[in-house]
Amino acid sequence: AICRLGVSGLKNHTKTIGLFNAKAENEIKTCKTLIAQHNSNAPEDRTLLQALPGVGRKTANVVLTSACGHPTIAADTHIFCSSNRTKVALENLRQTEEKLLKVVPEEFKVNVH
């Protein structure tokens, strides 16, 4: 259904969010890739998710936790700042994610973000 909207149609639905032009273009490309390469399903693998247009590590982790229930943490600027205030954060987002994966109990990882 999203592919049928096309980029311009999707932009009409997303114009209130930041960077909607680029996001709409990547969303259409991602939908086409999911249809062609993944039988219309999001893969449950971070590397495959990050190979999709516009998908970085945080988005891949959000999909893995929210859609697939995998115990991982989607570290973003907010998580980094909160972790920094509580002296958990290290030097960058990736190190913060790795540290949180070590210290957050397994049962909380899916919902910690």
Side-chain angles (χ1 to χ4, degrees):
I2 292 172
C3 281
R4 286 192 299 274
L5 284 173
V7 174
S8 61
L10 187 55
K11 285 180 184 181
N12 287 333
H13 291 283
T14 60
K15 60 187 170 190
T16 60
I17 62 174
L19 304 171
F20 73 95
N21 287 313
K23 288 179 182 178
E25 288 178 22
N26 283 330
E27 185 74 21
I28 296 297
K29 289 176 188 173
T30 293
C31 287
K32 289 179 180 179
T33 302
L34 289 173
I35 291 166
Q37 296 177 13
H38 300 287
N39 197 30
S40 299
N41 295 305
E44 291 189 38
D45 177 88
R46 184 182 296 113
T47 303
L48 292 174
L49 287 166
Q50 286 183 251
L52 297 169
V55 177
R57 186 172 182 89
K58 181 191 131 195
T59 299
N61 283 341
V62 168
V63 171
L64 289 173
T65 58
S66 299
C68 306
H70 290 254
T72 191
I73 296 173
D76 62 8
T77 303
H78 305 295
I79 296 294
F80 179 75
C81 290
S82 297
S83 298
N84 194 10
R85 279 189 225 114
T86 58
K87 308 295 186 223
V88 173
L90 299 169
E91 294 181 20
N92 60 46
L93 282 173
R94 183 66 178 268
Q95 289 177 335
T96 300
E97 176 188 326
E98 290 169 2
K99 173 75 181 260
L100 290 171
L101 283 169
K102 289 178 185 174
V103 301
V104 172
E106 196 74 17
E107 66 267 22
F108 298 115
K109 287 181 182 172
V110 172
N111 295 317
V112 75
H113 181 260

